Structures are given as C-alpha cells and as structure tokens.
Amino acid sequence: MFDEIQFEKINRLPKYLFAEINDLKMQLRRDGKDIIDFSMGNPDAATPKPIVDKLCETAMKPKTHGYSASKGIYKLRLAMTNWYKRKYNVDLDPNTEVVATMGSKEGYVHLVQAITNPGDVAIVPDPTYPIHSQAFVLAGGSVEKMPLIFDEENFEVDEEQFFIDLKASLENNVPQAKFLVVNFPHNPTTATVTPQFYEKLVALAKEKRFYIISDIAYADITFDGYKTPSIMEVEGAKDVAVEAYTLSKSYNMAGWRVGFIVGNKKLISALQSIKSWLDYGMFTPIQVAATVALDEHHYIPDEQIIPRYQKRRDVMLEAFANAGWKMGKPNASMFIWGKIPQRCRAMGSMKFAKRLLVEAGVAVSPGIGFGKYGDEYVRIALIENENRIRQAARNIKKFLKNVEAENNG
C-alpha cells in the first residue's frame, strides 16, 4: 500500500547527475586509486587562525550555548552592512535590509519558499548552479531557462545578447516571470558583468515589474584588476532586488555555513518571517567569529585567498594547455569552465568526465549537470595544489593521446 504513495515535490526534481561521478570516484578510491579531485567547490585550506580562535574563545562561554536569533545577531548583521559600505559605498539597514543565514544556499532556498506562489515563473540563465532553478521547483513554481552567452576567451557576458534573450523570455511567458536570478561571478561558467549591466537590469525590472535575486558568492575572488560589481550600487536597486553573499569561499569557511541576504525590505521581511518559523539561527560562537572576520580581518581575501586561486588558475591553464587542453582565462571565482577538447567533444560532458576519472584519475564536474547549455564543458575547481595540478596535466596528456589513437584507429 505504501509503495503507491507518491511525493510529487521530490518527483519534480531531476536526477542528480553529479551523483554518478561521486559514486564512481568513491569506488575508485576504495579500490586504491589516487584521484586528483577538482569536482567540488570545497576550499582545501584551513579557516584563518584568528577566526577559529574567536570561535573557540566564544564557545567557552556557556551563555552562548542557547538558542540564537533566526535572522542573525545584530552585530553580525551590522558587520554585513559595514562590508557593503566599505566595498561598494552602499548603505543598508541591519534591521530591515539584512538577514544572516546558514550559508547563502539555505538563505536563497528559504527566500524562494517565502516569496513563491504556486505557478510563479522564474527566469534562470542556463547553465546554472542547480539550486538556483530547483528551489523554485521545490516551492511549486516554474522555471524558464535562457542561454547565458559569454566570450569564451575571457568569460565576459555578452550583455547585449543577455537583454535580448531576457526580454524575449519576459514576453513569451504567460504569466510573465515574477523573478530573475543572476549570479556573477557565475557558477559554473565564471562569467562576469559590468556595473552598467545592473543599471540596465534594475531599469528593466522596474519597467516590467519583476524581482531580481542576485547571488555574489564569489564577489571577493577576482583577478587581473577586475572588481565584482553589486546590484546594490544602482540607485533604486532596493526597490526590486535582493543579493546573497557568503563567507564560504572568501574566508575558507564553507563548512561554517555563514551567509547573508540583503536588499528589498519586503523580500527581507518575508525571509525573516519564514526563518522565524523554521530555525533558530546559527550557533552564536560561529556568528561572533564571522563578525570578527568581516570587521577585523577583511584583508584576508586579498592577502591569502585570492593569491592562492590566481596561482592555481595560472598553473592549470599553462599545464593543461601543454597537455593539449587549452582553456579560456577567467577573471573571477575559484573555477575554470573548460571547454572539452575537440577530439573528445562528441562524447558529451558526462561520458568525458567518467572516462577522465577512470583513465586519468582526474575528477571534474560534467557541464550537463548545470543545464543543457553546459554539455560541451566541464567545471574544474581550483582546490588542489600546484603539484597535483601538474600531475593531473600529465595524466590528461596521456589520456588525450589515447583518445586520439582511438579516433585514428
């Protein structure tokens, strides 16, 4: 009898394509094979010591062991307003325009749960970080995908084409889309935009009456003089937009789960309300340590995090090119969006990723897992050191030679 019971919300979710790679990776490791793992955006370095020290110090105080505030303690929300003022000269009200969340992913999902009515449409560029679209599915909404077009050499978004595609998506949907999700620097493609992009986007949102959800999880990780713009810099952005930020990548705090949603008061109020029903917030010592990270150690991304990823990016691009796999040069994030070598492209990203894992011992994320427009690519996370990157390149060189021999045979 119970076999007949269906969970329609779960049935609407697509198959989790990355699971195939993860299962295969685990099996190979159990068999004793050394796997060089670029598949997940999980920082490999430790959280900086001053932040850990503050966590330990605060955790020793029994008064911090009780329930916390679901929207985050005041000083942490204030620290986020200080971050926006320092980085973007943007003023935010810590009480009405900021929520501290258990990672930006949790904050994003709870926000979508709070503001999505059954049948609401969200436009999400493809490829995309999966939860950006699936959160709306879980909330009973619908998702309209539009292709994300970018320069394949430097990964700058074709902003003119973006607005052509966006306007077409707005006009072709009945009902018209209520939300647009943007995520720059982009995961998985690393694509970036200019400040003018957000000016045009805010103006269009006001004209066409839709909300913008911006995710700048990789805002701090930029190279070669590029600076991530924020939609909050645009006059009037708070009328139509919210933005998500996280300490996960900027401070090597992925497992700490510290994020924020800021901006439009109506949307922030909805998120505060739903969180008050669903959780009691982060463990207070984590919030205190995160406050110290933002207010007292904001130099860490520039001095410790960015140089590590930039060096790895440069080593990977050179070593992989020498191995026969030339890739474009991103100017932000901790990933490389690698177009599959021509001789392997017909495989598609899933088969290519599996063969690369089995035959070269190198794990990457297949682009098809991020959407249909990602199938000619794989996402490579810069989470292994330079020696491991060079070893991966040597393995890949042999793999590509074997594939070429197959094709010629």
Side-chain angles (χ1 to χ4, degrees):
M1 183 180 78
F2 284 98
D3 290 342
E4 298 174 0
I5 296 174
Q6 297 293 314
F7 304 117
E8 292 303 327
K9 184 177 290 187
I10 299 304
N11 289 341
R12 289 186 69 195
L13 291 172
K15 181 181 179 183
Y16 190 64
L17 295 178
F18 302 119
E20 291 186 46
I21 298 297
N22 291 337
D23 291 346
L24 183 56
K25 179 175 62 181
M26 292 301 105
Q27 182 59 55
L28 291 169
R29 281 180 168 157
R30 283 192 292 269
D31 293 342
K33 186 161 186 176
D34 176 36
I35 302 299
I36 303 171
D37 193 357
F38 302 118
S39 63
M40 188 175 179
N42 192 15
D44 61 314
T47 303
K49 188 175 183 298
I51 302 171
V52 177
D53 287 346
K54 177 55 70 171
L55 169 72
C56 296
E57 174 192 327
T58 311
M60 294 301 294
K61 301 174 181 178
K63 67 178 182 180
T64 66
H65 294 181
Y67 293 128
S68 190
S70 62
K71 66 181 180 180
I73 61 174
Y74 175 76
K75 286 188 176 180
L76 179 57
R77 287 181 279 118
L78 183 62
M80 186 77 273
T81 69
N82 294 339
W83 183 87
Y84 266 94
K85 184 66 175 178
R86 185 170 58 243
K87 192 173 182 74
Y88 295 116
N89 196 31
V90 168
D91 293 309
L92 293 167
D93 185 328
N95 290 315
T96 61
E97 297 176 335
V98 180
V99 179
T101 61
M102 289 179 279
S104 59
K105 185 175 183 179
E106 174 270 321
Y108 175 85
V109 172
H110 279 163
L111 173 69
V112 171
Q113 289 282 337
I115 64 178
T116 303
N117 300 324
D120 280 350
V121 177
I123 298 173
V124 182
D126 183 319
T128 185
Y129 183 53
I131 198 61
H132 282 159
S133 58
Q134 297 312 319
F136 288 97
V137 174
L138 288 167
S142 299
V143 176
E144 168 75 10
K145 295 289 186 70
M146 57 173 267
L148 180 65
I149 309 301
F150 52 87
D151 186 308
E152 293 188 0
E153 289 297 317
N154 58 23
F155 297 97
E156 294 174 354
V157 169
D158 184 333
E159 297 183 5
E160 182 178 355
Q161 187 62 48
F162 184 96
F163 282 97
I164 291 172
D165 293 336
L166 175 57
K167 288 175 183 176
S169 293
L170 289 167
E171 292 169 3
N172 293 338
N173 274 285
V174 180
Q176 180 187 288
K178 186 176 178 180
F179 307 105
L180 168 71
V181 178
V182 290
N183 165 217
F184 302 111
H186 190 251
N187 181 8
T189 71
T190 78
T192 56
V193 294
T194 65
Q196 292 72 35
F197 172 86
Y198 287 123
E199 292 173 4
K200 291 180 64 176
L201 193 57
V202 168
L204 184 64
K206 290 185 175 184
E207 177 190 345
K208 299 294 187 180
R209 299 181 63 81
F210 62 86
Y211 283 115
I212 304 160
I213 305 175
S214 168
D215 178 355
I216 57 169
Y218 299 91
D220 291 323
I221 304 176
T222 58
F223 316 118
D224 306 325
Y226 178 75
K227 179 186 175 184
T228 301
S230 165
I231 196 169
M232 291 298 143
E233 294 177 283
V234 179
E235 185 176 354
K238 292 180 190 177
D239 296 334
V240 294
V242 290
E243 191 160 70
Y245 173 76
T246 175
L247 275 66
S248 292
K249 310 306 191 296
S250 301
Y251 294 87
N252 288 342
M253 293 172 63
W256 295 54
R257 311 313 302 135
V258 184
F260 302 89
I261 308 287
V262 310
N264 180 270
K265 290 182 179 180
K266 184 176 181 179
L267 300 191
I268 292 299
S269 176
L271 176 57
Q272 288 178 344
S273 294
I274 201 168
K275 282 180 64 65
S276 71
W277 282 96
L278 297 176
D279 70 72
Y280 288 107
M282 292 170 276
F283 184 39
T284 298
I286 288 177
Q287 298 193 57
V288 172
T291 302
V292 168
L294 288 168
D295 279 344
E296 299 180 22
H297 303 289
H298 49 79
Y299 58 86
I300 283 174
D302 287 339
E303 293 185 7
Q304 298 180 27
I305 310 301
I306 294 172
R308 178 183 298 114
Y309 288 127
Q310 182 162 349
K311 179 69 181 298
R312 291 177 179 182
R313 177 201 66 170
D314 294 344
V315 168
M316 181 174 286
L317 290 176
E318 180 181 5
F320 280 35
N322 291 337
W325 188 0
K326 189 177 186 302
M327 301 180 291
K329 187 177 186 180
N331 59 9
S333 91
M334 59 180 291
F335 303 111
I336 290 178
W337 186 238
K339 195 161 193 177
I340 298 171
Q342 184 64 49
R343 71 193 82 170
C344 304
R345 205 164 295 162
M347 297 180 190
S349 60
M350 180 59 76
K351 183 177 179 181
F352 174 74
K354 286 182 176 180
R355 286 196 59 179
L356 197 66
L357 180 54
V358 172
E359 299 174 39
V362 176
V364 297
S365 293
I368 190 65
F370 300 98
K372 67 178 182 179
Y373 293 106
D375 201 25
E376 291 190 343
Y377 298 83
V378 293
R379 193 192 70 177
I380 308 169
L382 299 170
I383 56 170
E384 295 268 15
N385 63 43
E386 289 88 343
N387 290 334
R388 297 280 281 172
I389 290 171
R390 293 188 180 98
Q391 179 61 55
R394 290 192 289 270
N395 295 359
I396 289 168
K397 186 173 185 177
K398 295 175 184 176
F399 167 73
L400 293 177
K401 284 183 176 179
N402 290 339
V403 171
E404 186 169 11
E406 283 177 21
N407 293 342
N408 294 333

